[in-house]
Amino acid sequence: MLCCYSQLKESKRAVNSILVDEDEDEDDVERVSWSGEPVGSISWSVKETASSIRSGSEQSFPKIDTTPSLSKQGSGYSLSSLSIDFVSDLSPEETVRRMQKGRPFSLEKFRSLQDKLLLLDEAVAVYDGNVITAVLIFLKKSLSKEILFRELMARDVALRHYVHYLKEMGEQKLLLMHYKEHLNIKDEGRRRDFLKSCLSLPFSQDDATHVQDHYTLLERQIIIEADAEIFKKFPRKASILNMPIITTLYYSCFYHYGESEGTFSSPSNIRKTFRISEKQYILTALGARAKLKSWFDVDSLFNTKNWLGYTKKKSPIGFHRVVDILHKNSAPVQVLQEYVNLIDDPDLKLSGALKYKCHDVVINTYRDLKDRQQLIVYREKLERDSPEYRKIQELLNNVQIRWKN
Amino acid sequence: MAHTEWKDAPGLPDFSLLKRLARDQLIFLLEQLPGKKDLFIDADLMSPLDRIANVTILKQHEVDKLYKVELKPIVSSSDQLCFLIRPRIQTVKWISDLVNADKVAGRFRRYKIIFTPQKFYACETVLEEQGVYGDVTTDEWNFYILPLDDDILSLELPEFFRDNFLEGDQRWVTTAGSALRLLQSVYGSFSKVYGIGRCAKMVYESWRELMEDGEQRTRQPEFAKVFLVDRDVDFVTPLCSQVVYEGLVDDLFRIKCGSVEFGPDVTSSDKSIKVMLNSQDKVFSEIRNEHFSNVFGFLSQKAKNLQTAYDKRRGMDIQQMKAFVADELKGLKQEHRLLSLHIGASESMMKKKTKQDFQELLKTEHSLLEGFEIRECITYIEEHINRQVSMIDSLRLLCLLSITENGLLSKDYRSLKAQYLQSYGIEHLLTFANLRQLGLLEEQQAGETLTVMESKVGKLVNDKTVGKLTDAFSSLAKKSNFRALSKRLALVPKSGEEYDLRVPRDMAYVFSGAYIPLSCKLIEQVLERDGWTGMEEVTRMLNGQEFAVTGGSSSSEARSKTDAQRIVLVMFLGGCTFSEISALRFLGKERGCRFIVVTTAITNSSRLLEALLDNSA
């Protein structure tokens, strides 16, 4: 893929350099407005109307008409009774057929439970969701809740349609639906209280933990925000309210790094409370400290003491990943070099060193591989008289080394 | 090169007829409300409407101002309001509120609601309940099909997927059936229908029912065969990253109704531009089905040719120049413009993909498809989540893992779910519930039967409803058997063999040689066998619901044009991707036939998953 990129650049240059004649005939070019919409399109017209409203709407008073409102002009027929006798004498099958085709129908004659159920089963049999829902609306009005539900228990398809209808009409009774209501509460304090009320709902064990976390998180976020307000310490750009846990952790690593575990805002507290894995924690802390260019803090993240008491560098994420993140945060070469050196896999190490121009690592690797050819090739990339250039020279002149090529 | 046009290709029917029919009906409906009126259009309908009847035509029929339907108070001073909407309860409630507000203010207006493609009884009930049923007139605009290109027809119903497959609501089944009936009445009776999927069966039945009612047309059919396929028969394909040009453009820029908006980074200016992407764009039509590794070479060659063509001017005399300007210059300028655009788009895509570590992402996807080094894939996905790279992409990878592996191990499911919720927000609990319900992201059930699960839930909950509901919805979920299917149908070519993308040998090229789209493979096999014989094992693994029927009299077959026998209509219920369309075009060339793709909507991994998100109010 990369080799084709140069082809692309070349063709771009070729196309852009084609000298065009001065005659600017625009008619083969589609006229486009400033916003990019083709002039005359629907969306352009809507935008035009909208902007003209903003720039001063017209002021006109509506006519006060004393004529009575329009008489019924039903192009469809309501579900309430019709006075057409023959229509109401139709069987369930015929009625459903009529409903499918949008013809007049009447459901009032289906008064017995048996008839109602026949009607419903017939609607299900023709697979038409529109008709099924219509019959259910009728049944909802003409049957008690208990009876309707009892009958729906045995009818999967009808039950699904009924639930969906209820959802759409704004009647939500089920567990997760109830939990979802929190999204409609804008005020964070009330939202927190609502989440607290959800804790007593019989969620599955796993989901209950998540809902608990959600409540705890929001509760803490409110406190952290309040503290930050009071002390006006940090020029925060955005609020952490309702942000995910990891984002909150990142914020904490950014602004509250090193605080004691006792405070809600400290990274260690968040890590513990939300049972964040070591891997996730290091990734997030790395991202935050690297962004702030705190290379010392980055360093400490990877220090562990081995059993002899010596400090060693370890990482739950591959060091090639660490280097990647450091590079994205514009870490200086010396810092990058240190971590490239820690990459275990020799291939990854070499490719990392080449990619990030960690000359010393490259040179040492080729030296260890006893690859004279590669050293020569690499030397040409370096500036003459630079310490690295001279280092290669020294190595090449070293008679003690048994080169393989 | 995968050209769309080839010698001896059967001619396609003229689908512009459908646009004219739709336009004529709309005009008729607008004229039912004579006089000046303001028109409110559903956001989803704006682009489709633009293809059918533009602003000029609307104004010719006394439409004064155009507004987008937004669920807030309106600022219109017109005495006549017309609403062109999809039959959604929410929208009808908003209109009712509007009418009631006017009533309270003592303001008299005429209101007309045009539902498209059809009315739903639930909508009328809302009008009745809100007490405005007598104050509005309602109509149906039976705009079922929008031709997006010569061989792509869309119902423009993205909601079909969620309504049908997640909610189990069959409201759009008749709509799909009606679309088929429309095609049949305009282009003649098809003689063979194949299909697979619950919804496919229902649509077929619905269509049959509708046909019985209408008159029997005796015109010569333009296409003989129809294939109906449910989206949930193949979830793997839409979840894979697309690598054919049109698919990439859709994944990165979002093609809407056949057009796309390119920003300043593509146009190399400070303006954005909206362009139509179809066979009219000569440059696009040559690269649209190509694997992107071929695109750059092609564009660069074209640029060179263009330079040569322009350079011809140098040696010309006046006569020749005049001829050149008259005949060729316009075409060259057009080509120049398009070329710049597509080169700009390609550059932008390259930059974005490099930034995303596209190579590694594809490697992981291919490993999942192959069933190779799954632990490494899980680690990759975990890191993807930990780094909060992209909410949708992380979900996509999780689903791909689940489907290819027949569900995640319990410990993996719980760990990855927890990490996802930590990274992207706990409100995604609902999204996970939805994905689980569809079978897109689930735990491997270690010997647990449903009744055991149900009784567990039953104990926790007082209302047995929840338990029964699980049952009702689980009847919709399907067990995935991807590995077995993949082996049986040879969907994943053997690794180790070199796959030449410049000269693709099969449909796997649309995924860089790593995977043949399951949906397209099924279509290929069924057409070859003229039915499902010999595929019992496969259909069993797909949970059955396959069918093949022959209809129409033998005389109608004899009367059909010979070309019609080589045109196959494929209808995707729940959405279809550009990769599948490209694969079918390739298949058509191989088999000497042409496919017309009808889809409820164009889809890709983002749209599919976004439809299932439940993390906002």
Side-chain angles (χ1 to χ4, degrees):
Chain A
M1 189 168 95
L2 285 167
C3 69
C4 301
Y5 193 43
S6 55
Q7 262 182 323
L8 188 64
K9 275 220 133 33
E10 205 190 286
S11 52
K12 185 171 188 185
R13 246 182 294 127
V15 162
N16 289 338
S17 66
I18 290 173
L19 294 166
V20 185
D21 292 341
E22 291 82 41
D23 49 324
E24 297 278 278
D25 53 325
E26 293 279 89
D27 29 40
D28 53 325
V29 175
E30 212 187 352
R31 287 199 337 113
V32 155
S33 75
W34 183 251
S35 61
E37 313 284 348
V39 170
S41 75
I42 304 278
S43 35
W44 168 80
S45 184
V46 168
K47 279 196 174 133
E48 292 289 298
T49 312
S51 60
S52 74
I53 286 172
R54 280 194 292 271
S55 56
S57 47
E58 310 140 273
Q59 300 285 327
S60 63
F61 292 100
K63 269 201 305 209
I64 298 173
D65 207 299
T66 49
T67 58
S69 61
L70 290 168
S71 57
K72 247 195 168 107
Q73 323 171 13
S75 49
Y77 292 81
S78 77
L79 293 175
S80 47
S81 62
L82 284 173
S83 54
I84 306 171
D85 273 335
F86 77 93
V87 172
S88 48
D89 279 343
L90 297 176
S91 69
E93 292 82 11
E94 287 160 323
T95 306
V96 164
R97 290 280 176 286
R98 292 188 81 94
M99 288 172 84
Q100 270 185 301
K101 284 153 192 163
R103 303 225 183 92
F105 64 91
S106 164
L107 299 183
E108 66 154 7
K109 278 285 161 102
F110 295 95
R111 308 200 69 172
S112 72
L113 181 61
Q114 188 185 35
D115 284 344
K116 289 190 201 302
L117 294 175
L118 277 173
L119 183 64
L120 180 60
D121 289 336
E122 189 55 40
V124 169
V126 299
Y127 303 127
D128 192 330
N130 183 23
V131 176
I132 297 172
T133 307
V135 173
L136 285 168
I137 293 172
F138 166 67
L139 294 184
K140 184 170 187 259
K141 283 190 208 148
S142 57
L143 277 179
S144 80
K145 221 160 96 167
E146 292 73 31
I147 307 284
L148 177 57
F149 245 63
R150 183 192 74 197
E151 294 304 330
L152 287 181
M153 284 301 114
R155 294 169 167 83
D156 279 356
V157 175
L159 180 59
R160 285 200 310 259
H161 282 79
Y162 191 60
V163 169
H164 193 206
Y165 172 70
L166 292 182
K167 271 208 280 197
E168 284 194 312
M169 291 299 280
E171 299 177 38
Q172 297 164 1
K173 291 163 185 130
L174 314 162
L175 283 183
L176 281 175
M177 301 303 183
H178 180 74
Y179 160 73
K180 191 186 171 179
E181 279 302 303
H182 78 265
L183 293 163
N184 285 325
I185 305 175
K186 298 287 171 251
D187 173 71
E188 60 272 9
R190 285 184 42 228
R191 189 185 277 206
R192 174 203 56 207
D193 295 337
F194 177 85
L195 286 172
K196 189 168 183 184
S197 77
C198 288
L199 295 179
S200 53
L201 293 174
F203 286 105
S204 71
Q205 196 172 32
D206 272 356
D207 283 354
T209 316
H210 295 307
V211 177
Q212 169 77 58
D213 278 349
H214 196 172
Y215 163 68
T216 310
L217 179 67
L218 185 56
E219 188 189 44
R220 304 267 171 112
Q221 284 172 339
I222 293 175
I223 294 172
I224 295 171
E225 284 268 304
D227 281 348
E229 249 325 287
I230 294 173
F231 295 107
K232 290 224 186 309
K233 275 200 230 166
F234 315 109
R236 284 170 304 113
K237 290 199 201 101
S239 155
I240 48 152
L241 290 177
N242 301 308
M243 288 296 116
I245 291 175
I246 298 307
T247 312
T248 311
L249 176 64
Y250 182 87
Y251 166 93
S252 164
C253 289
F254 207 85
Y255 292 115
H256 299 273
Y257 204 62
E259 276 180 22
S260 86
E261 204 179 294
T263 55
F264 282 156
S265 50
S266 74
S268 44
N269 187 308
I270 295 176
R271 176 187 189 167
K272 192 148 172 231
T273 310
F274 298 105
R275 307 168 308 282
I276 295 176
S277 73
E278 193 198 359
K279 187 167 160 182
Q280 171 75 83
Y281 177 79
I282 288 190
L283 251 174
T284 311
L286 172 62
R289 300 326 285 171
K291 186 122 192 193
L292 288 165
K293 303 205 191 309
S294 312
W295 313 123
F296 187 74
D297 287 333
V298 169
D299 194 70
S300 321
L301 275 175
F302 301 107
N303 287 340
T304 50
K305 283 210 163 21
N306 70 1
W307 65 282
L308 285 171
Y310 293 122
T311 316
K312 232 177 82 102
K313 286 252 185 325
K314 251 180 63 144
S315 168
I317 59 176
F319 276 111
H320 63 286
R321 279 264 179 266
V322 177
V323 174
D324 194 33
I325 294 173
L326 289 171
H327 173 77
K328 286 203 166 91
N329 284 291
S330 318
V333 182
Q334 309 91 282
V335 174
L336 288 175
Q337 184 136 276
E338 199 190 320
Y339 292 95
V340 170
N341 242 333
L342 292 166
I343 298 175
D344 260 335
D345 182 285
D347 290 324
L348 277 177
K349 184 172 180 175
L350 184 58
S351 66
L354 287 166
K355 189 169 167 192
Y356 300 117
K357 304 204 187 354
C358 303
H359 305 308
D360 276 335
V361 180
V362 177
I363 297 171
N364 291 342
T365 310
Y366 284 143
R367 175 201 64 199
D368 293 340
L369 289 171
K370 308 232 192 297
D371 196 332
R372 191 164 66 105
Q373 291 301 336
Q374 288 289 16
L375 269 178
I376 293 174
V377 168
Y378 197 72
R379 184 190 56 186
E380 298 317 306
K381 298 199 183 136
L382 302 171
E383 268 191 46
R384 288 178 175 275
D385 280 344
S386 67
E388 291 84 21
Y389 192 93
R390 274 184 267 122
K391 182 171 176 182
I392 296 185
Q393 288 293 85
E394 273 175 37
L395 283 170
L396 291 173
N397 291 335
N398 188 336
V399 294
Q400 303 224 304
I401 301 178
R402 300 248 225 95
W403 301 104
K404 75 174 185 196
N405 53 22
Chain B
M1 291 291 234
H3 288 297
T4 36
E5 286 307 317
W6 39 279
K7 275 212 294 271
D8 210 29
L12 289 173
D14 176 20
F15 292 121
S16 59
L17 203 56
L18 295 169
K19 286 205 260 194
R20 287 206 292 281
L21 284 170
R23 190 188 61 211
D24 290 345
Q25 198 199 5
L26 179 62
I27 289 173
F28 173 75
L29 290 172
L30 286 173
E31 285 173 350
Q32 302 290 299
L33 188 67
K36 267 173 73 158
K37 47 200 166 278
D38 280 356
L39 182 62
F40 292 80
I41 313 168
D42 231 343
D44 288 346
L45 290 173
M46 279 172 54
S47 299
L49 182 61
D50 217 359
R51 309 263 180 274
I52 301 288
N54 58 31
V55 178
T56 325
I57 295 182
L58 294 174
K59 299 248 166 172
Q60 275 169 5
H61 295 275
E62 302 177 289
V63 170
D64 188 15
K65 295 214 182 57
L66 290 155
Y67 297 91
K68 186 160 73 163
V69 165
E70 283 168 321
L71 304 178
K72 46 189 207 207
I74 62 168
V75 201
S76 161
S77 57
S78 176
D79 284 334
Q80 302 202 115
L81 304 180
C82 191
F83 302 89
L84 185 61
I85 60 171
R86 287 266 188 250
R88 282 193 201 110
I89 288 182
Q90 218 186 13
T91 323
V92 179
K93 266 203 182 139
W94 168 74
I95 296 176
S96 306
D97 288 343
L98 213 147
V99 176
N100 279 324
D102 278 350
K103 274 190 188 173
V104 163
R107 181 172 189 160
F108 173 76
R109 287 202 254 224
R110 281 198 162 81
Y111 314 89
K112 182 182 195 58
I113 307 179
I114 301 177
F115 292 100
T116 183
Q118 64 193 82
K119 260 190 275 197
F120 287 153
Y121 290 117
C123 294
E124 291 191 299
T125 313
V126 172
L127 292 172
E128 201 179 337
E129 283 175 5
Q130 299 291 316
V132 300
Y133 187 82
D135 305 297
V136 310
T137 54
T138 58
D139 262 316
E140 275 184 351
W141 179 36
N142 302 126
F143 173 37
Y144 290 114
I145 299 178
L146 174 69
L148 291 179
D149 209 335
D150 297 339
D151 57 353
I152 312 179
L153 306 173
S154 167
L155 272 63
E156 289 303 299
L157 284 174
E159 53 263 70
F160 190 107
F161 175 67
R162 184 181 168 125
D163 283 345
N164 192 82
F165 293 104
L166 182 67
E167 310 287 3
D169 189 317
Q170 295 159 194
R171 58 181 58 181
W172 302 112
V173 168
T174 355
T175 317
S178 302
L180 278 178
R181 180 179 63 161
L182 173 64
L183 286 172
Q184 182 150 24
S185 65
V186 176
Y187 299 104
S189 279
F190 2 102
S191 46
K192 270 212 156 74
V193 184
Y194 313 98
I196 179 160
R198 273 179 72 252
C199 188
K201 270 195 169 162
M202 296 193 284
V203 169
Y204 169 73
E205 290 297 329
S206 161
W207 166 69
R208 217 171 49 89
E209 180 73 36
L210 291 165
M211 286 314 294
E212 262 170 24
D213 220 32
E215 338 115 33
Q216 286 301 341
R217 290 300 208 96
T218 50
R219 60 153 290 162
Q220 271 193 327
E222 302 241 14
F223 37 83
K225 302 182 192 169
V226 175
F227 197 110
L228 301 166
V229 56
D230 283 7
R231 181 69 271 167
D232 68 349
V233 163
D234 173 12
F235 270 139
V236 174
T237 305
L239 289 175
C240 294
S241 292
Q242 304 195 73
V243 289
V244 291
Y245 186 73
E246 191 165 16
L248 262 172
V249 174
D250 190 31
D251 274 357
L252 290 172
F253 297 103
R254 291 273 172 135
I255 300 178
K256 203 168 132 178
C257 249
S259 77
V260 71
E261 181 159 352
F262 286 132
D265 58 330
V266 170
T267 59
S268 304
S269 68
D270 51 0
K271 285 213 265 245
S272 294
I273 186 172
K274 239 189 189 169
V275 284
M276 292 287 296
L277 285 180
N278 54 30
S279 49
Q280 304 300 313
D281 177 334
K282 293 288 165 250
V283 175
F284 180 70
S285 63
E286 288 200 68
I287 55 175
R288 70 195 305 183
N289 300 310
E290 290 297 312
H291 188 270
F292 76 85
S293 62
N294 287 333
V295 170
F296 307 147
F298 175 83
L299 290 175
S300 113
Q301 184 58 51
K302 260 247 159 359
K304 288 201 188 95
N305 295 346
L306 192 63
Q307 183 68 68
T308 315
Y310 265 130
D311 286 345
K312 275 200 319 194
R313 293 173 300 154
R314 307 213 180 273
M316 286 183 181
D317 60 33
I318 300 288
Q319 276 298 88
Q320 289 171 320
M321 262 299 235
K322 272 175 107 172
F324 179 76
V325 169
D327 304 329
E328 293 185 55
L329 187 63
K330 189 163 174 197
L332 286 179
K333 278 181 128 178
Q334 168 90 308
E335 204 179 304
H336 184 182
R337 191 172 65 84
L338 293 172
L339 208 51
S340 296
L341 199 63
H342 288 293
I343 289 178
S346 302
E347 247 196 0
S348 175
M349 298 197 291
M350 278 285 278
K351 274 200 215 119
K352 288 191 182 156
K353 286 300 177 184
T354 316
K355 213 173 123 187
Q356 287 171 11
D357 268 332
F358 198 44
Q359 291 286 57
E360 244 199 292
L361 180 69
L362 281 182
K363 191 164 148 253
T364 307
E365 286 182 32
H366 294 171
S367 293
L368 286 172
L369 290 165
E370 222 183 325
F372 179 69
E373 287 184 345
I374 297 296
R375 256 310 123 190
E376 273 87 340
C377 294
I378 295 181
T379 308
Y380 176 86
I381 297 175
E382 198 176 47
E383 266 181 41
H384 194 275
I385 295 174
N386 291 158
R387 289 171 77 168
Q388 295 178 299
V389 176
S390 150
M391 174 176 83
I392 289 286
D393 249 1
S394 290
L395 212 53
R396 178 176 73 85
L397 289 168
L398 283 173
C399 292
L400 201 53
L401 171 66
S402 176
I403 304 189
T404 51
E405 287 287 295
N406 280 8
L408 274 60
L409 290 174
S410 217
K411 67 173 172 85
D412 287 333
Y413 180 83
R414 289 160 67 202
S415 165
L416 289 168
K417 175 176 169 180
Q419 291 182 74
Y420 187 94
L421 296 175
Q422 283 189 341
S423 279
Y424 299 112
I426 297 175
E427 55 271 16
H428 280 284
L429 265 179
L430 284 131
T431 312
F432 273 81
N434 290 341
L435 293 173
R436 189 188 208 131
Q437 194 179 305
L438 268 175
L440 272 170
L441 180 50
E442 50 189 2
E443 256 175 288
Q444 284 171 5
Q445 301 290 356
E448 254 182 330
T449 59
L450 205 57
T451 45
V452 172
M453 282 289 281
E454 200 198 317
S455 68
K456 268 196 191 169
V457 175
K459 279 196 207 109
L460 290 170
V461 185
N462 289 328
D463 190 358
K464 282 213 122 182
T465 317
V466 178
K468 252 307 168 177
L469 277 167
T470 319
D471 246 4
F473 285 98
S474 69
S475 66
L476 289 178
K478 302 161 73 149
K479 241 209 109 13
S480 164
N481 284 301
F482 183 73
R483 294 265 174 260
L485 272 168
S486 171
K487 203 161 155 203
R488 188 69 183 67
L489 292 168
L491 299 177
V492 177
K494 311 253 179 302
S495 62
E497 288 172 6
E498 265 304 306
Y499 195 97
D500 188 358
L501 288 168
R502 282 164 300 153
V503 189
R505 60 168 189 253
D506 56 27
M507 294 189 278
Y509 91 87
V510 303
F511 290 116
S512 305
Y515 160 70
I516 299 177
L518 169 59
S519 53
C520 304
K521 187 71 178 176
L522 288 171
I523 295 167
E524 176 202 78
Q525 288 299 302
V526 171
L527 286 177
E528 225 166 72
R529 296 154 199 269
D530 190 17
W532 295 91
T533 32
M535 294 190 57
E536 292 75 24
E537 219 189 301
V538 171
T539 52
R540 211 180 22 246
M541 289 193 268
L542 289 168
N543 298 294
Q545 312 285 5
E546 78 282 6
F547 62 95
V549 280
T550 312
S553 54
S554 47
S555 57
S556 68
E557 247 202 74
R559 266 187 284 119
S560 72
K561 300 188 203 165
T562 36
D563 259 6
Q565 287 302 320
R566 298 197 291 147
I567 301 185
V568 181
L569 196 93
V570 178
M571 187 173 202
F572 284 89
L573 299 160
C576 158
T577 59
F578 282 117
S579 294
E580 282 161 313
I581 295 177
S582 291
L584 286 175
R585 288 189 183 128
F586 178 89
L587 180 64
K589 216 166 55 112
E590 262 201 343
R591 292 183 54 93
C593 65
R594 283 200 78 164
F595 289 99
I596 298 171
V597 174
V598 184
T599 178
T600 51
I602 293 285
T603 192
N604 58 16
S605 54
S606 305
R607 292 195 193 89
L608 194 94
L609 291 171
E610 279 161 15
L612 301 170
L613 289 180
D614 245 339
N615 67 323
S616 53

